Structures are given as C-alpha cells and as structure tokens.
Amino acid sequence: MTMDAKALQQRLRDLPSLAGPLPPFDPATAPGDPDTLFAEWLDAAIAAGVLEPHAMTLSTVDPIGRPSARVLILKNLRAGVWQFASGSGSRKGKELAGTPRAALTFHWPVLGRQVRVRGAVTTAAAQDSAADYLGRSPGARAAALLGLQSEVLVDDAERAAAVLEAVERVTRDPALVAPEWTLFGVEADEVEFWQGDEARQHVRLRYTRRDDTWSRDRL
Ligand SMILES: Cc1cc2nc3c(=O)[nH]c(=O)nc-3n(C[C@H](O)[C@H](O)[C@H](O)COP(=O)(O)O)c2cc1C
C-alpha cells in the first residue's frame, strides 16, 4: 500500500501547534546576558516536565554549504560558550573541521519556547574532552571508542563483536580515552529566545554580542 499523501496532509493539518496554555515572557525583565536567561528557561522547562530539555539540534554545513542537522546533548554553558561532545570523525566532526560555525536550536513544546544560538565553534583542550569522555557510561565510552559513528554499517554481527571487545577494553582500563572524542564549544554571537503565543503574537528577544558586550533587540 502506498502512503496517502492527502490523508497525511490532513492529519498534519489537524495536529495542534502552540495550543497552550503558554507562559508569558516579558523581555523588559530579561537579564543582560543570554546565559542567565537560558538557565532560567532551562529551570522552567525542567519544572514543566519537558523530556530531555538539554537536547538540542546542532546544524552544520559541508564544504559546499549543504546543511545537516542532528540532535545532541548540551554539556555545559559557560561564559557564552555552549558545549557539546561528539566524535571528530563523524559527519558533524568533519563538517566542523571544514567550517567551524554552527547553530543550535532548543525546542520545549509544553512551554511553546525555542532558543536559537549561532556562533563560531572551537574545540576544548584535550584534558577537557577526556574528562567529558570519562564521565560517560561504559556503553557510551565503548561506542565512542569504536569511532565509527557516521560510517555505513555493513555487518551487524561484526559490529556486535567490535562493541563487545570495546566494552571489555573500557572495563579493563577505566582511564582509557577515545582519541576521537571531542568537546566542542559554540562561542555564541547571537542567541534568540522565542516565546510562542496562542494568538500568534509571539515574543522574540535576540541578544547580539559585540566583543564582550551583549545588546538586545525585540524581533
Ligand atoms: C536525544 C539525543 C541525544 C543525542 N546526544 C548525542 C551527543 O551528545 N553526542 C553525539 O555525538 N550524538 C548524540 N546523539 C546522536 C546524534 O543525533 C547523531 O545521530 C550522531 O551524533 C551522528 O551524527 P552525524 O552523522 O551528523 O555526525 C543524540 C541523539 C539523540 C536523539
């Protein structure tokens, strides 16, 4: 049976969006820097029961400007730097090596909120990447040790054997660090806080950084 595109279109149309009730957001009371507001909004998302509120979409581009995006976990936000960790040999790792710029997008549906971040990408010192790696579960360390995150999977049995061997290695040597594992940081030069409104009077506040000073604009 082929998919009925018309029925699908109707199903999509029938799904509610920004149905609310949604919280208010008064940009006049917003703090002077986006890190503080993000921490406040994250707390609100946690309190509202948003699942995985630290999950965000990371967008990168390849050498000819083709974008790609995937979901990652935010590891930390410190002094305007939004950290995430991944393998340097993955698609995102290669794309970031070629074009060290990225966008991050958080979406918290229950609150009708999104946060959008743009900036240059840097890599952390080796010891910080290692500390992030060692803080992961043995299974996650084993998977990263294989370093095959974005490679084509040819043989399930071969992969299962390789994972088993990697698990044994990280168990045997708890200080072992995957050389590819990298802690990246987006040095934000733009952060937008977007509060949806049931009546579509959405409230948008954009922080823009020049040197070390943030300015704010309503959009
Ligand atoms: C909720 C969630 C959290 C994820 N967290 C990470 C992460 O922190 N690091 C990571 O490398 N991949 C993470 N992934 C997997 C990525 O989405 C992606 O599949 C993988 O990194 C390969 O991406 P790439 O081929 O574009 O490089 C996560 C996926 C989901 C759904």
Side-chain angles (χ1 to χ4, degrees):
M1 199 182 82
T2 55
M3 192 202 58
D4 181 344
K6 200 137 189 66
L8 178 66
Q9 182 187 39
Q10 192 56 50
R11 279 214 298 287
L12 291 169
R13 217 170 257 251
D14 291 344
L15 287 170
S17 171
L18 299 170
L22 301 175
F25 170 48
D26 179 5
T29 63
D33 71 284
D35 295 20
T36 305
L37 185 54
F38 180 80
E40 286 174 19
W41 275 33
L42 180 68
D43 283 346
I46 293 166
V50 173
L51 290 177
E52 300 192 82
H54 55 342
M56 61 194 185
T57 299
L58 163 75
S59 304
T60 54
V61 290
D62 75 2
I64 58 167
R66 290 177 301 190
S68 68
R70 75 292 285 158
V71 174
L72 260 83
I73 294 296
L74 178 72
K75 291 299 183 84
N76 200 3
L77 166 58
R78 210 174 46 191
V81 181
W82 303 64
Q83 292 184 321
F84 60 90
S86 193
S88 57
S90 65
R91 172 185 277 188
K92 74 184 89 52
K94 288 176 185 156
E95 291 188 351
L96 289 171
T99 307
R101 295 202 67 84
L104 307 172
T105 314
F106 295 84
H107 177 213
W108 299 319
V110 199
L111 297 169
R113 286 180 170 175
Q114 65 172 326
V115 180
R116 305 169 63 191
V117 180
R118 291 175 82 200
V121 175
T122 55
T123 52
Q127 80 241 30
D128 294 332
S129 293
D132 181 86
Y133 178 81
L134 293 173
R136 292 160 59 83
S137 68
R141 272 183 281 144
L145 194 60
L146 291 177
L148 300 171
Q149 192 174 55
S150 306
E151 300 300 318
V152 172
L153 175 61
V154 187
D155 186 331
D156 275 311
E158 205 175 289
R159 178 192 133 125
V163 168
L164 210 62
E165 195 202 315
V167 170
E168 273 166 22
R169 281 182 69 198
V170 300
T171 312
R172 230 182 8 250
D173 183 0
L176 183 68
V177 172
E180 274 206 2
W181 194 252
T182 308
L183 189 61
F184 294 92
V186 178
E187 293 185 353
D189 45 45
E190 201 180 293
V191 184
E192 182 191 332
F193 293 83
W194 191 99
Q195 174 63 67
D197 173 63
E198 294 96 314
R200 302 310 191 247
Q201 301 301 304
H202 311 310
V203 181
R204 301 174 66 181
L205 178 66
R206 183 180 61 197
Y207 289 80
T208 309
R209 182 170 60 83
R210 190 161 296 135
D211 300 323
D212 283 334
T213 308
W214 290 100
S215 60
R216 279 173 283 173
D217 295 291
R218 298 281 309 277
L219 302 179

